[in-house]
């Protein structure tokens, strides 16, 4: 079973709240009737309480807890009522941003869950897992709160709970400054700070109020610390000391100690502290002046948003899978003002992008790396530090399918080899399938693993497993054919370094026991996970709203160097034919997608439904097939973007603001619910029950409707766009050169390697470089790959296509191939010629399937179809369309 408990518990929240009766008054012993209670105010700065001892857990969520009247002593679930009485504005500049609540068990491995509700019964914070201690924060706490601790799986232990009011202090005047050759030591009384310059435009700033600089993260996030950049110099400017590097000047102000980073002219601020560092009982924040038009991105996966000006972003372990959740968050942000910051920590954080900008972590230390440059440059520098996105196997960019087959509580007893029937279904329905997970780790085992893997490979799919409790049999499983891993919250729910280590371990397990590339999925993670895994936004229920908020989520994750972020097609818990089809068609333009079977019901909640894309019948099956086959054809384009991400840190799915940073409308409400797939495709998903899409924003440039060929000149906004169920609003930028596999391709493995297609949208001069390798092994890392540059020049009566030689080699590289070009937006040519001479004009596009070469112009679409003879891949050639 795939039981992500937080989602199931939230589904019955109302029942859980019945057990949370408010109790006021003095603290009472845990064994007395009713929950114990306490007050935090001017006279009470902290409180601790002790739970009863639990012989065993509930093996369930909040709904497993009886009402307080039936559990007055907390024998089943522990309760505590906390009243917070603080002055107005108390939290405005407090590094911890609220009241921390921690729960520490006698047995550190006990599994429990912590929920906090306000006086109206609304959940305001939660934490789930086996972390020790488990902690969360009541944000801007004021009033009475009900704390519920659910002992899910415990073994004769109790816990100590603690809450406190964070007290604050600020850095004072500078008391010492010294150093050189790239490293400088600074003090302000007991506070000690250290600045290391790591490049002409990068530095690391550390500070410790108690004078002891530590590095708890060690080498877990940053595998190899950058070396110092020794070419620096310092000077005394009176009010501040300055440290000059190649491209920047760091100011160290004296009264009080503050920092500011300036461009090389020492007049233009990149960032400037408007107040000294402030620390609290267990937190520290930095406060920066905000620019008039400054925008902020990052924070990892932030469900429902990509742009954070005037927003508060939480960076922490979370199992809130819905809008507002942040389970794959990262302690990094990037500013349109020309800088980015990574906090080297495993502590939770709260980033307030108001004015001023206040960013804090729940630890009494600062360890921050600062990068300068435009947004793309900063993302590249950040991922160079924590790890560039991994290079997936090509089958990882094909659709995946997941279910429990052995001991499936929702579908009855089956066998692992029954997965082969589902894989056969993809083949029979002419839908691509790259991989399958055949167990789910929650009591669902497997059998006949080698036979299952062999059967899947006959359908051109790879075998995958997920895990609940580690990877003890990884070597044997990989030898049996396992090439995909999914790490679920039952194992990696603690997040932070635990999840990051597990991701690295799972990827290495595949690579240490085979020549394959590790391909790992996980739903909770931290900075650095882009180097090893696909991040997945967790368990959701299908709705139009679910489709809506996922659009900015995955585009926004790219702004933290996360190249692969996705959600279940059609969700996990519900199925509706129309919503499923709408969800699938736009997710076909995400690099990685997966269906999750075995848990869904129809929208009435009565009928169990699986999630394969053919189960709803017509017209849905044909529409789903159309988009999955298009996704397959576009794999050369997506695969090249994956190779690009390993170099630049920039993933395929992009908010418009990344490619059009000076366009204010790219941050507007219309642009929020569309995205770019690479630089060339603009995708505007339909996320309501309608056949008309309004508010499609097209930025500057010429944009061609992928389906009709109609062109638009941006910037413009399109309303009343006709989008019946089979139509995803999709536009291609002028000048685009899009590589594609041949029509009808269903698998990377059995595709026609003797043909490669290019979809062309001529406009002036443009170029594109295709990347290719064997798709599955790690030989690319040793240089076994090839690139091919294509240029298109469209001027006056002649359009010229120059196809360069494929440079490089890899196993399986074809010696020769023919090319098909679809040339959009032009009138019929008089003739089409190559170096070999004139190509024959054909009667129809279908004639190209049997002809060795030729061309056909379709007057209905304005597209010219061209097929060349087979050409050695080591040769270059030119194609001319003469009008």
């Amino acid at each position: 079973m795939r039981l992500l408990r937080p989602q199931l518990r939230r589904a019955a929240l109302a029942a859980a709240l019945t057990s949370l009766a408010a109790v006021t008054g003095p603290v009472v012993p845990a064994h007395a009737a009713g929950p114990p209670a306490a007050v935090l105010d001017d006279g009470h700065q902290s409180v601790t309480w002790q739970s009863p001892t639990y012989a065993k857990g509930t093996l369930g969520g909040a709904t497993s807890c009886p009402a307080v009247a039936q559990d007055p002593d907390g024998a089943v679930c522990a309760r505590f009522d906390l009243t917070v009485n603080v002055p107005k504005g108390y939290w405005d500049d407090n590094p911890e941003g609220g009241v921390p609540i921690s729960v520490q068990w006698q047995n550190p491995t006990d599994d429990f869950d912590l929920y906090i509700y306000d006086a109206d019964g609304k959940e305001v914070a939660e934490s789930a897992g086996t972390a020790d201690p488990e902690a969360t924060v009541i944000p801007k706490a004021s009033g009475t709160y009900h704390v519920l601790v659910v002992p899910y799986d415990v073994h004769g232990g109790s816990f100590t709970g603690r809450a406190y009011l964070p007290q604050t202090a600020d850095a004072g005047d500078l008391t010492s400054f010294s150093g050189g050759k790239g490293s400088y030591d600074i003090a302000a009384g007991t506070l000690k700070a250290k600045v290391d310059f790591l490049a002409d435009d990068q530095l690391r700033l550390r500070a410790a109020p108690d004078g002891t600089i530590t590095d708890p993260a060690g080498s877990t996030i940053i595998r190899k610390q950058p070396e110092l950049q020794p070419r620096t110099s310092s000077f005394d400017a009176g009010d501040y000391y300055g440290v000059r590097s190649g491209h920047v000047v760091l100011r160290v102000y004296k009264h009080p100690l503050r920092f500011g980073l300036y461009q090389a002219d020492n007049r233009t601020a990149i960032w400037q502290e408007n107040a000294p560092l402030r620390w609290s009982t267990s937190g520290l924040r930095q406060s920066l002046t905000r620019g008039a038009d400054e925008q902020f991105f990052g924070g990892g996966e932030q469900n429902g948003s990509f742009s954070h000006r005037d927003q508060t972003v939480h960076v922490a372990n979370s199992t809130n899978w819905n809008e507002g959740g942040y389970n794959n968050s990262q302690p990094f942000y990037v500013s349109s003002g020309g800088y980015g910051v990574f906090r080297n920590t495993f502590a939770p954080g709260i980033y307030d992008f108001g004015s001023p900008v206040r960013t804090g972590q729940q630890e009494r230390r600062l360890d921050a790396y600062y990068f300068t440059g435009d947004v793309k440059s900063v993302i590249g520098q950040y991922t160079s530090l924590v790890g560039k996105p991994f290079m997936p196997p090509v089958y990882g960019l094909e659709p995946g399918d997941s279910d429990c087959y052995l001991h499936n509580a929702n579908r009855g007893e089956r066998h692992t080899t029954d997965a082969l029937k589902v894989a056969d279904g993809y083949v029979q329905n002419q839908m691509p399938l790259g991989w399958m997970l055949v167990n789910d780790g929650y009591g669902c085992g497997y059998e006949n693993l080698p036979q299952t893997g062999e059967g899947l490979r006959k359908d051109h799919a790879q075998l995958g497993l997920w895990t609940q409790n580690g990877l003890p049999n990884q070597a044997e499983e990989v030898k049996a054919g396992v090439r995909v891993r999914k790490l679920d919250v039952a194992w990696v729910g603690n997040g932070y370094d635990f999840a990051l280590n597990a991701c690295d371990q799972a990827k290495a397990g595949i690579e240490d026991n085979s020549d394959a590339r590790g391909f790992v999925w996980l739903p909770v993670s931290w900075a650095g996970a882009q180097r090893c895994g696909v991040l997945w936004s967790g368990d959701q229920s299908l709705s139009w709203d679910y489709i809506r908020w996922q659009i900015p989520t995955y585009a926004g994750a790219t702004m933290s160097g996360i190249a692969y972020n996705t959600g279940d097609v059609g969700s996990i818990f519900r199925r509706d034919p129309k919503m499923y089809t709408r969800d699938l068609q736009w997710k076909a333009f995400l690099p990685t997608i997966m269906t999750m079977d075995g848990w869904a019901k129809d929208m009435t909640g009565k009928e169990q439904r699986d999630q394969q894309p053919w189960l709803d019948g017509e017209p849905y099956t044909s529409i789903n097939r159309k988009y999955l086959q298009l996704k397959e054809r576009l794999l050369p384009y997506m695969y090249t973007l994956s190779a690009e991400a390993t170099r630049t840190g920039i993933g395929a799915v992009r908010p418009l603001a990344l490619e059009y940073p000076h366009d204010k409308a790219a941050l507007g409400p219309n642009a929020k619910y569309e995205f770019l797939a690479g630089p060339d495709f603009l995708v505007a998903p339909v996320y309501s029950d309608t056949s008309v899409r309004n508010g499609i924003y097209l930025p500057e440039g010429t944009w061609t409707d992928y389906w009709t060929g109609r062109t638009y000149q941006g910037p413009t906004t399109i309303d009343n766009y006709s989008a019946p169920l089979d139509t995803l609003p999709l536009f291609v930028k002028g000048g685009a050169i899009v590589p594609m596999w041949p029509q009808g391709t269903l698998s990377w493995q059995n595709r026609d390697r003797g043909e490669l297609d290019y979809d062309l949208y001529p406009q002036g001069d443009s170029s594109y470089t295709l990347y290719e390798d064997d798709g599955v092994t790690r030989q690319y890392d040793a240089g076994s790959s090839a690139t091919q540059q294509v240029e298109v020049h469209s001027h006056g009566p002649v359009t010229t296509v120059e196809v360069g030689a494929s440079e490089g080699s890899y196993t399986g590289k074809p010696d020769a191939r023919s090319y098909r070009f679809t040339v959009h937006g032009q009138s019929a040519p008089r003739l089409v010629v190559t170096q070999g001479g004139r190509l024959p004009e054909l009667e129809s596009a279908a004639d190209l399937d049997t002809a060795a070469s030729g061309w056909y112009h379709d007057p209905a679409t304005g597209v010219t179809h061209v097929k060349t003879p087979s050409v050695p891949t080591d040769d270059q050639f030119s194609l001319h369309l003469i009008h």
Side-chain angles (χ1 to χ4, degrees), residues 313-316 347-351 360-362 496 526:
V313 169
H314 291 263
V315 176
I350 299 176
Y351 299 173
Q361 307 292 146
Q362 292 173 39
Y496 303 115
W526 197 245

Side-chain angles (χ1 to χ4, degrees), residues 397-630:
L397 302 183
E398 296 178 321
D401 188 285
S402 312
D403 200 358
C404 163
Y405 289 92
L406 188 66
H407 313 312
N408 186 320
N410 293 331
R411 292 294 185 269
E413 189 63 26
R414 296 186 293 181
H415 298 284
T416 305
T417 52
D418 288 337
L420 304 182
K421 301 173 186 176
V422 176
D424 291 344
Y426 280 90
V427 174
Q428 293 158 8
N429 284 280
Q430 296 183 300
M431 296 179 178
L433 174 68
W435 50 277
M436 288 189 72
L437 302 174
V438 298
N439 73 324
D440 69 8
Y442 291 86
C444 176
Y446 60 75
E447 61 186 4
N448 301 319
L449 204 60
Q451 296 92 322
T452 304
E454 182 180 1
L456 289 177
R457 288 189 293 275
K458 289 180 181 178
D459 283 336
H460 309 295
Q462 296 296 318
L463 175 63
L465 295 175
W466 52 29
T467 183
Q468 175 182 353
N469 54 4
L471 299 165
N473 304 312
Q474 189 155 226
E476 293 78 10
E477 290 165 345
V478 172
K479 291 174 183 176
V482 171
R483 295 295 181 269
V484 183
R485 282 286 181 188
K486 184 171 175 298
L487 315 178
D488 229 322
V489 291
W491 183 36
V492 298
N494 290 340
Y496 303 115
D497 56 336
F498 193 94
L500 189 57
N501 285 328
C503 183
D504 286 330
Q505 178 187 347
K507 184 173 184 289
I510 294 173
E511 296 182 351
D512 290 346
N513 294 284
S514 72
D515 64 353
R517 305 172 195 174
F519 189 58
V520 180
W521 286 52
L522 68 165
V524 289
S525 61
W526 197 245
Q530 47 266 75
R531 71 190 181 221
C532 59
V534 175
L535 306 185
W536 154 77
S537 62
D539 287 354
Q540 294 99 18
S541 291
L542 183 63
S543 68
W544 291 113
D545 207 42
Y546 157 83
I547 297 173
R548 174 193 58 80
W549 65 255
Q550 286 191 325
I551 300 165
T553 300
Y554 307 136
T558 301
M559 305 299 264
S560 294
I562 298 171
Y564 308 100
N565 193 197
T566 189
D568 295 331
V569 174
S571 84
I572 172 178
F573 287 118
R574 294 198 293 188
R575 174 101 179 198
D576 172 83
K578 186 182 292 185
M579 283 190 276
Y580 180 97
T581 295
R582 284 299 196 193
D583 195 45
L584 182 146
Q585 62 188 212
W586 77 269
K587 284 180 176 170
F589 284 84
L590 302 181
T592 52
I593 61 171
M594 171 180 71
T595 61
M596 177 61 229
D597 308 303
W599 286 92
K601 294 184 178 180
D602 65 11
M603 301 303 282
T604 69
K606 297 178 180 178
E607 181 184 349
Q608 289 185 328
R609 300 297 306 275
D610 278 334
Q611 298 280 33
Q612 280 84 30
W614 61 85
L615 296 180
D616 294 314
E618 297 298 344
Y620 310 104
T621 297
S622 292
I623 299 172
N624 295 338
R625 178 186 299 114
K626 166 184 171 180
Y627 285 95
L628 290 176
Q629 288 191 3
L630 177 57

Side-chain angles (χ1 to χ4, degrees), residues 746-767:
L746 297 177
S747 169
W748 69 276
Q749 202 163 20
N750 65 351
R751 71 186 188 275
D752 182 359
R753 297 171 187 266
E755 176 186 323
L756 181 65
D757 299 352
Y758 279 99
D759 199 26
L760 308 178
Y761 297 79
Q763 186 177 58
D765 299 311
S766 58
S767 65

Side-chain angles (χ1 to χ4, degrees), residues 162-184:
R162 181 172 184 257
Y164 64 88
L165 282 178
Q167 306 298 302
T168 62
D170 293 337
D173 289 345
L174 181 74
T175 54
S176 69
F177 174 87
S178 63
K181 295 185 178 179
S183 185
Y184 297 84

